[in-house]
Amino acid sequence: MNSMKVRVRFAPSPTGPLHIGGVRTALYNYLFARQHGGDFIFRIEDTDRTRFVPGAEEYILETFRWLGIQFDEGVSFGGDHGPYRQSERKELYKVYVQQLLDQGWAYYAFDTAEELNARREEAEAQGEKFQYDASTRSQMRNSLTLAQEETERLLQEGHPYVVRFLIQPGEDVHVDDIIRGDVCINSSILDDKVLWKSADQLPTYHLANIVDDHLMEVTHVIRGEEWLPSAPLHVLLYRAFGWEDTMPRFAHLPLLLKPDGKGKLSKRDGDRLGFPVFPLEWHNPETGEVSSGYRESGYLPEAVINFLALLGWNPGGDQEILSMDELIEKFNLEKCSKNGARFDYVKGFWFNREYLLQRPDAEWAPDFVRILAEQGIETTEEKAAEVVSMMKAKVIEYQTKDGPKKRNISFVRDLWPLCRFFFVAPTAFDPEDKFIRKNWKPETADEMRQLRDVLATIDDFSVEGQKAVVDAWVEQSGIKPWNAWRVCLVGEGQGPDMYGLSAFLGKEEVLRRMDFAIQTLKL
Ligand code: GLU
């Protein structure tokens, strides 16, 4: 590596929502940049206008805002190497295409779509695959086969054409990959890739990508394994431009595999098994289809970062919970795996739980309010936070006859079924419920009526206000009302401290629930 400042880029094409694998690619670039005090660039590769999807660029930016991954320059961040949206660099690419044409590294091809299709079909009929390369280009309509005057005429008359890269066959092309070592491919298998199209005056991905990485002084190209087959072509392009000395180093990251490890992770796996494959919810502008996102499903950004960071790389040792700073410190491209990483989404639950439990109660509130609203319950963040602080410890660790056990609370939404009674009064009592059978005796209805009347006299319904009066009544009456009172307010044998719950519900609701239980359970 040369001594230049590390500069890496994340260069998505705005063709839809970012796949979770793309998020991992961006994260690895970010960790690498931060570790080396380098720059992280955000470039939009939108030269394929047929695949452009409105809203995708904003979606990608929003994803990284949510995750706390910051760029140093690029689209919407500014910088000295702009513009960073390839569609805005249109004019600039023409110079470089011309350079390749002038120096004989590329040629004009005039074959129409129909002609190319005919060749493809012909080849298929013989059980072969047509490829535009050294073996076929001499039979096609291009500036290598046409007389020079004919080429000039076609150009002058404005016939549509593409510029193709001239691949010399029979050469071993080496890609020095940080993760994979020396990757060698023979140039004979490569086709003469289209670099530029006259129809829209735009370069294709390959040309724009190389020109931009060069002009933006990118030092390391860290991207998904799906780009490895293109890497030899990219090496040849650097050579054709005379930029081999400053060619970036490549690192092709392992694929994310299906949870069972068999094949590439797809959106269908997520739909089938119930986990998101996109960072944020995505509304397809064409079909109206909505795909779930990590954010909307209740994942915390720190958990997503930590989970993704360890898919394809591990720092060694037992520590699995790593903050962004620790990841930046320990990240090592050389230790990334060559093999695909199994997308263990259940492990994602675990990460979320670990981070969720570290969060202060008040930070659970906004999500909890939203989840309650989905259930038709309106409440304030203050009220929601009160429930969380009364219940969090209890719902996570609870007592059984074999000692304390832990529940799997991985998301704020897991609280809802365990906290329903704060917002919804019991409407029936299960006669088979052990707790009710044990604690509701023939005399209980009468005792609860006494307690109800005592509570009705209390003006200050705070925990302290109730305690002062009710404790005295307990003392004087000798009645132990706690479990039966719980049955009245909760409907079963769970929940927080009774005074806390009662204060939360308020006098009116408490009396209403007690009246209902006394009525119902008496019968
Ligand atoms: N635009 C490409 C993509 O969408 C970038 C690939 C690269 O990083 O070279 O993934």
Side-chain angles (χ1 to χ4, degrees):
M1 194 178 86
N2 48 45
S3 59
M4 280 192 299
K5 183 179 191 189
V6 163
R7 285 172 60 81
V8 293
R9 83 302 193 268
F10 182 60
S13 300
T15 55
L18 192 57
H19 187 275
I20 198 73
V23 179
R24 191 209 43 189
T25 297
L27 172 63
Y28 281 15
N29 274 281
Y30 175 76
L31 297 177
F32 186 78
R34 287 292 166 274
Q35 186 178 64
H36 291 92
D39 296 327
F40 187 26
I41 304 163
F42 181 58
R43 185 169 76 219
I44 286 287
E45 302 205 328
D46 58 348
T47 57
D48 186 349
R49 302 311 285 175
T50 59
R51 297 183 63 218
F52 179 82
V53 173
E57 181 183 307
E58 191 38 50
Y59 175 99
I60 296 167
L61 283 165
E62 177 63 17
T63 295
F64 296 116
R65 272 196 291 274
W66 176 60
L67 289 170
I69 290 179
Q70 291 122 18
F71 292 91
D72 302 297
E73 59 184 79
V75 172
S76 90
F77 303 100
D80 298 337
H81 298 70
Y84 294 91
R85 209 180 269 115
Q86 290 185 329
S87 57
E88 293 167 21
R89 300 169 67 80
K90 204 168 172 177
E91 291 309 310
L92 181 151
Y93 300 117
K94 288 186 183 163
V95 178
Y96 292 95
V97 176
Q98 198 56 52
Q99 181 184 325
L100 293 183
L101 285 164
D102 292 347
Q103 297 178 0
W105 295 100
Y107 60 94
Y108 297 102
F110 299 97
D111 317 276
T112 62
E114 293 75 37
E115 287 165 348
L116 288 168
N117 272 340
R119 289 306 306 260
R120 266 183 219 116
E121 279 164 23
E122 233 171 76
E124 264 165 39
Q126 291 167 25
E128 280 166 20
K129 214 172 166 275
F130 173 74
Q131 180 162 289
Y132 210 118
D133 60 17
S135 68
T136 56
R137 68 169 84 96
S138 61
Q139 302 138 36
M140 308 299 290
R141 282 207 311 136
N142 53 50
S143 54
L144 304 173
T145 59
L146 300 171
Q148 196 179 337
E149 305 79 62
E150 178 63 357
T151 298
E152 271 159 24
R153 184 185 69 80
L154 291 172
L155 290 176
Q156 254 160 27
E157 289 176 6
H159 288 269
Y161 66 89
V162 297
V163 174
R164 287 184 182 271
F165 194 46
L166 181 60
I167 300 264
Q168 302 295 351
E171 188 204 334
D172 281 339
V173 185
H174 293 268
V175 179
D176 174 25
D177 189 280
I178 297 175
I179 299 171
R180 290 151 211 281
D182 177 48
V183 178
C184 179
I185 285 182
N186 194 279
S187 64
S188 299
I189 67 163
L190 301 175
D191 64 330
D192 290 354
K193 275 274 174 318
V194 172
L195 300 179
W196 198 80
K197 305 181 289 317
S198 72
D200 55 11
Q201 302 279 303
L202 279 169
T204 58
Y205 155 75
H206 301 289
L207 183 100
N209 188 272
I210 271 41
V211 168
D212 286 353
D213 281 347
H214 173 72
L215 295 179
M216 294 179 186
E217 299 179 78
V218 166
T219 56
H220 296 77
V221 167
I222 305 167
R223 61 184 172 190
E225 184 180 329
E226 64 273 24
W227 298 105
L228 186 59
S230 301
L233 166 70
H234 295 175
V235 168
L236 292 175
L237 274 166
Y238 279 103
R239 189 188 302 168
F241 279 120
W243 298 335
E244 258 178 316
D245 290 355
T246 54
M247 183 168 75
R249 293 209 60 197
F250 292 99
H252 289 92
L253 305 174
L255 285 178
L256 294 186
L257 303 179
K258 293 180 190 303
D260 65 7
K262 293 182 189 137
K264 203 173 143 187
L265 177 69
S266 76
K267 179 166 158 356
R268 252 173 295 129
D269 300 314
D271 294 343
R272 187 169 51 89
L273 298 164
F275 63 87
V277 295
F278 300 127
L280 314 178
E281 194 169 270
W282 169 254
H283 296 248
N284 186 317
E286 267 166 36
T287 62
E289 188 200 353
V290 179
S291 306
S292 65
Y294 277 83
R295 180 176 65 181
E296 291 72 14
S297 302
Y299 287 82
L300 299 173
E302 313 89 282
V304 174
I305 296 269
N306 197 154
F307 172 49
L308 288 180
L310 302 189
L311 288 174
W313 165 72
N314 91 64
D318 296 334
Q319 192 187 352
E320 286 186 289
I321 296 295
L322 294 137
S323 67
M324 188 72 104
D325 286 343
E326 288 171 307
L327 291 171
I328 290 170
E329 189 199 310
K330 293 186 196 294
F331 184 65
N332 188 342
L333 261 185
E334 273 146 46
K335 290 223 179 112
C336 284
S337 161
K338 289 196 228 354
N339 306 320
R342 203 169 59 79
F343 195 79
D344 182 0
Y345 66 100
V346 177
K347 188 77 188 200
F349 299 163
W350 180 82
F351 275 108
N352 208 55
R353 175 197 161 95
E354 293 296 310
Y355 281 95
L356 191 58
L357 296 187
Q358 287 173 19
R359 282 229 164 167
D361 300 343
E363 288 180 23
W364 294 47
D367 263 2
F368 197 28
V369 167
R370 200 172 43 75
I371 288 153
L372 290 169
E374 284 165 14
Q375 301 294 332
I377 292 160
E378 268 195 46
T379 191
T380 61
E381 285 194 11
E382 287 71 36
K383 282 275 184 193
E386 263 181 61
V387 173
V388 173
S389 62
M390 270 188 265
M391 290 299 287
K392 197 172 95 181
K394 275 209 160 55
V395 297
I396 289 155
E397 192 169 294
Y398 62 107
Q399 299 298 324
T400 70
K401 61 178 184 351
D402 307 320
K405 277 209 168 151
K406 285 197 170 187
R407 276 200 189 84
N408 277 329
I409 300 288
S410 304
F411 301 95
V412 176
R413 75 176 122 83
D414 295 337
L415 277 183
W416 159 246
L418 301 159
C419 296
R420 230 184 111 90
F421 57 86
F422 281 94
F423 306 97
V424 182
T427 52
F429 300 92
D430 176 5
E432 300 305 319
D433 185 289
K434 278 203 190 111
F435 187 81
I436 298 180
R437 286 168 73 110
K438 185 159 172 248
N439 293 294
W440 203 274
K441 302 280 181 234
E443 65 279 13
T444 309
D446 182 54
E447 291 171 0
M448 284 300 107
R449 193 169 296 113
Q450 289 182 46
L451 174 59
R452 182 223 178 273
D453 292 343
V454 169
L455 290 166
T457 64
I458 301 175
D459 292 327
D460 170 10
F461 219 69
S462 66
V463 170
E464 292 71 31
Q466 293 181 66
K467 208 168 157 39
V469 178
V470 176
D471 280 0
W473 170 75
V474 168
E475 177 87 2
Q476 167 251 310
S477 67
I479 294 170
K480 292 260 176 308
W482 314 116
N483 289 349
W485 194 19
R486 184 173 299 284
V487 171
C488 294
L489 300 191
V490 178
E492 56 180 327
Q494 64 137 333
D497 168 73
M498 285 311 293
Y499 286 131
L501 172 60
S502 179
F504 177 90
L505 293 174
K507 184 161 150 182
E508 205 184 312
E509 177 67 7
V510 166
L511 298 184
R512 223 182 52 72
R513 289 191 188 190
M514 292 189 76
D515 287 341
F516 177 74
I518 292 163
Q519 279 289 322
T520 314
L521 281 164
K522 185 180 66 181
L523 304 173

